[in-house]
């Protein structure tokens, strides 16, 4: 296990014209599972590379425990001395080596004895349930098995820190949940500090204790995934960590008005963005008598889709082209008028930039 301390780290490219990281500060505790979430181009990969020692910060300091490993453009501790295991998006397996040889590769470079290499490879292969495919080449393995081989190669060195760079993006949807569960189980068993970088909030919710959201190189919010989900600092953060309806409304004495919808919130700005998660929207033909839900108005069903065992229903206010969507276990026909309810305490209000 290792504690990672990032102090005022910035990274610029092209003589300062491109800012990849902008004054990032974060502490990742010993044995913690920490996630970095952000869109493409946010600086996630640059952050990962600096932690791994594959790049250096232009300014700022990076500590592993109390040891300074990189500072102000200087690499003080090289990657091979940082006790890091890394799993890449592509898994980066050598196609001409067997699973055993792929896993053993870093140990071979460390000049370990053949007996010790075999012992370590077999131990980690047993943990990951791939001992029966050790003699197979990567092309003979399923996607899930290839990923386990990549994870085994990262763990066989007994690292203090495990870095995962978009590790599940090459798996089909059926396999991702089991792969996430495996990673969390192995991390808990070994106690290694874990840093996962992803654009997929499902990865973060499944694995991370805390998440940091990177936007344009800035770490804009840090917290438990569920806290960031419920209380995002901006509409962009809200949309990065989960589905959300985004509506631009006009502020009146009666609340925020969007067509025939009225959201009962108070704010001083003339125009704001209303955010409401789809699970916090309910459609009904009858009045709902439940204090947790508030009626915002009548709407008309625009379109209905189907995914994941639920109907995705898009509604518009009666006199507006704005849209709001939710999920339902039963269909509602296009063109029908419905009463639209939202959870009072789940309405999110953001300033319009």
């Amino acid at each position: 296990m290792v504690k990672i301390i990032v102090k005022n780290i910035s990274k610029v490219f092209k003589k300062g014209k491109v800012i990849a990281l902008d004054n990032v500060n974060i502490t990742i505790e010993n044995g913690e599972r920490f996630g970095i979430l952000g869109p493409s181009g946010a600086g996630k990969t640059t952050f990962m590379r600096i932690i791994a020692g594959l790049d250096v910060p232009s300014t700022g300091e990076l500590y592993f425990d109390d040891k300074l490993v990189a500072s102000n453009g200087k690499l003080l501790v090289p990657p091979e001395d940082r006790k890091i295991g890394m799993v890449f998006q592509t898994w980066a397996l050598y196609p001409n080596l067997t699973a055993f040889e792929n896993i053993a590769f870093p140990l071979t470079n460390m000049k370990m004895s053949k007996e010790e290499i075999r012992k370590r490879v077999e131990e980690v292969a047993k943990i990951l349930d791939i001992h029966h495919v050790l003699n197979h080449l990567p092309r003979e393995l399923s996607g899930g098995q290839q990923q386990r081989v990549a994870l085994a190669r990262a763990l066989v060195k007994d690292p203090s820190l495990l870095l995962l760079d978009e590790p599940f993006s090459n798996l089909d949807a059926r396999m991702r949940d089991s792969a996430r569960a495996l990673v969390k189980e192995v991390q808990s068993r070994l106690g290694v500090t874990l840093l996962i970088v992803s654009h997929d909030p499902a990865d973060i919710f499944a694995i991370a204790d805390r998440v940091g959201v990177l936007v344009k190189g800035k770490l804009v919010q840090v917290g438990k995934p569920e806290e960031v989900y419920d209380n995002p600092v901006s509409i962009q953060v809200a949309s990065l960590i989960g589905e959300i309806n985004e509506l631009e409304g006009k502020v009146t004495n009666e609340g925020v008005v969007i067509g025939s919808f009225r959201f009962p919130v108070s704010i001083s700005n003339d125009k704001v963005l209303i955010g409401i998660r789809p699970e916090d929207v309910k459609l009904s033909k009858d009045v709902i008598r439940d204090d947790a839900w508030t009626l915002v108005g009548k709407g008309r069903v625009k379109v209905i889709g189907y995914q994941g065992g639920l109907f995705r229903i898009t509604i518009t206010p009666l006199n507006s082209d704005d849209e709001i969507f939710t999920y339902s276990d039963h269909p509602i026909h296009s063109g029908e008028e419905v009463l639209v309810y939202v959870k009072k305490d789940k309405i999110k209000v953001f300033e319009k930039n």
Side-chain angles (χ1 to χ4, degrees):
M1 295 188 294
V2 65
K3 181 178 182 178
I4 308 297
I5 303 170
V6 176
K7 286 188 175 180
N8 305 314
I9 281 185
S10 294
K11 180 66 180 179
V12 298
F13 296 101
K14 297 183 179 179
K15 298 181 179 180
K17 293 180 180 178
V18 176
I19 302 174
L21 294 174
D22 190 357
N23 198 37
V24 173
N25 288 274
I26 189 68
T27 297
I28 302 169
E29 299 293 342
N30 281 324
E32 184 177 16
R33 295 184 292 261
F34 193 89
I36 293 289
L37 179 69
S40 297
K44 303 189 303 297
T45 298
T46 300
F47 183 81
M48 178 77 86
R49 287 178 59 83
I50 288 174
I51 298 294
L54 302 176
D55 211 336
V56 293
S58 302
T59 57
E61 298 173 332
L62 175 64
Y63 292 84
F64 279 27
D65 292 327
D66 296 325
K67 186 171 185 178
L68 185 62
V69 299
S71 175
N72 298 313
K74 294 181 180 178
L75 184 69
L76 303 179
V77 177
E80 60 269 22
D81 295 333
R82 294 192 185 187
K83 290 199 72 178
I84 289 174
M86 199 165 180
V87 179
F88 298 93
Q89 180 177 354
T90 58
W91 305 326
L93 299 179
Y94 297 104
N96 58 329
L97 299 183
T98 64
F100 182 99
E101 291 166 337
N102 267 284
I103 298 169
F105 191 83
L107 303 182
T108 303
N109 286 344
M110 294 164 66
K111 310 296 184 185
M112 278 192 181
S113 69
K114 289 185 178 180
E115 183 179 344
E116 179 66 16
I117 289 174
R118 179 165 294 279
K119 178 184 174 184
R120 287 207 187 188
V121 170
E122 289 179 350
E123 281 179 355
V124 73
K126 188 174 181 180
I127 291 172
L128 294 171
D129 194 25
I130 51 172
H131 55 282
H132 58 293
V133 298
L134 289 177
N135 293 324
H136 292 229
L137 293 170
R139 66 174 177 270
E140 298 169 330
L141 305 177
S142 68
Q145 289 171 334
Q146 288 182 39
Q147 191 207 38
R148 289 181 184 222
V149 171
L151 183 57
R153 183 177 59 189
L155 294 171
V156 77
K157 297 185 295 181
D158 190 24
S160 298
L161 174 64
L162 179 62
L163 301 180
L164 306 178
D165 184 10
E166 302 278 4
F168 311 116
S169 58
N170 283 338
L171 294 176
D172 62 46
R174 289 183 304 106
M175 298 177 64
R176 286 178 195 161
D177 284 342
S178 58
R180 292 169 183 137
L182 173 70
V183 166
K184 190 171 184 178
E185 177 189 342
V186 170
Q187 185 276 338
S188 297
R189 181 170 175 176
L190 301 179
V192 62
T193 303
L194 184 149
L195 175 62
I196 178 170
V197 167
S198 181
H199 71 282
D200 187 346
D203 295 342
I204 303 302
F205 277 106
I207 293 173
D209 302 313
R210 287 191 303 148
V211 60
V213 184
L214 269 176
V215 177
K216 295 180 180 178
K218 291 182 180 290
L219 196 61
V220 296
Q221 189 169 2
V222 177
K224 294 180 179 179
E226 59 271 21
E227 292 173 350
V228 177
Y229 185 83
D230 283 335
N231 300 291
V233 297
S234 68
I235 192 68
Q236 186 172 16
V237 171
S239 61
L240 284 171
I241 201 162
E243 290 186 309
I244 194 164
N245 290 290
E246 179 181 342
L247 300 162
E248 183 178 340
K250 183 178 181 181
V251 178
T252 70
N253 292 333
E254 297 180 339
V256 178
V257 175
I258 302 151
S260 58
F261 294 165
R262 180 182 62 81
F263 291 84
V265 294
S266 299
I267 195 166
S268 56
N269 294 30
D270 290 337
K271 286 193 175 183
V272 296
L273 293 176
I274 292 290
I276 189 79
R277 302 282 185 196
E279 66 269 24
D280 299 324
V281 178
K282 185 182 286 188
L283 309 179
S284 178
K285 295 180 182 179
D286 303 311
V287 174
I288 296 175
R289 303 192 186 282
D290 184 339
D291 290 342
W293 295 88
T294 185
L295 177 66
V296 296
K298 281 187 175 182
R300 182 174 287 109
V301 176
K302 180 178 180 180
V303 66
I304 181 170
Y306 186 79
Q307 64 182 67
L310 292 171
F311 295 94
R312 188 182 193 275
I313 301 172
T314 302
I315 314 100
T316 61
L318 296 183
N319 52 351
S320 170
D321 292 330
D322 291 286
E323 295 180 357
I324 191 170
F325 73 93
T326 186
Y327 293 96
S328 174
D329 58 3
H330 61 276
I332 302 176
H333 297 298
S334 297
E336 281 193 56
E337 287 189 11
V338 291
L339 300 176
V340 180
Y341 288 82
V342 300
K343 282 187 179 176
K344 288 180 184 178
D345 59 348
K346 296 296 185 179
I347 301 171
K348 307 179 197 318
V349 182
F350 304 101
E351 291 185 6
K352 188 175 184 299
N353 295 329

